Amino acid sequence: MDTSYPREDPRALSRKADDAAHTALSVGTPGPMPRDHLLWSVFSTVYLNLCCLGFLALVHSVKARDQKIAGDLEAARHYGSKAKCYNILAVMWTLVPPLLLLGLVVTGALHLSRLAKDSAAFFTTKFDDEDYN
């Protein structure tokens, strides 16, 4: 039998655990971890949209990730929300002008084709000699 160090009685350990006071504090239900939208911000930055909205989104995404790592979840939610807003603005700024331009080109082409069709009838009109008198 090994007696090189003192052993404690297992029954004494269970009594110590029962005697210790435990305090449970529930502040609220833990919500989901805040999102930082980092990947979306990187793609918005790489696309190089006007007004550097993608870069602003990337800055706020990195700040949100830093705050999440530091444990400040409220600040991380705040920065993540700002990054999401900047990403939405960047996508809108990227998609809406080309779509408007496409709509203008299509309506202009339709208008010009109708105008060309009407003017072609004008140039094929035959006049008689009586029309000049």
Side-chain angles (χ1 to χ4, degrees):
M1 181 151 77
D2 185 20
T3 58
S4 61
Y5 57 93
R7 295 183 188 264
E8 291 188 23
D9 184 20
R11 289 173 283 171
L13 289 176
S14 66
R15 279 186 297 217
K16 285 182 184 177
D18 290 339
D19 292 341
H22 295 287
T23 304
L25 178 64
S26 63
V27 177
T29 58
M33 290 298 286
R35 299 190 59 178
D36 53 15
H37 306 285
L38 186 65
L39 188 62
W40 187 9
S41 300
V42 167
F43 282 118
S44 292
T45 303
V46 169
Y47 189 71
L48 294 175
N49 51 16
L50 296 174
C51 297
C52 298
L53 291 173
F55 181 70
L56 288 173
L58 181 65
V59 168
H60 282 85
S61 293
V62 170
K63 284 183 179 181
R65 180 157 290 188
D66 289 345
Q67 293 300 322
K68 186 167 53 170
I69 298 293
D72 190 3
L73 297 182
E74 189 60 37
R77 279 189 190 92
H78 174 73
Y79 285 124
S81 175
K82 280 191 171 235
K84 182 179 178 182
C85 289
Y86 282 130
N87 278 319
I88 289 171
L89 286 173
V91 167
M92 295 301 290
W93 191 261
T94 302
L95 292 179
V96 170
L99 290 176
L100 285 175
L101 184 64
L102 180 68
L104 287 173
V105 167
V106 167
T107 56
L110 290 174
H111 180 70
L112 284 176
S113 68
R114 181 179 290 167
L115 187 64
K117 184 179 177 183
D118 293 341
S119 64
F122 173 76
F123 288 115
T124 60
T125 304
K126 302 275 181 172
F127 293 104
D128 293 331
D129 290 335
E130 297 172 358
D131 293 334
Y132 296 111
N133 291 334

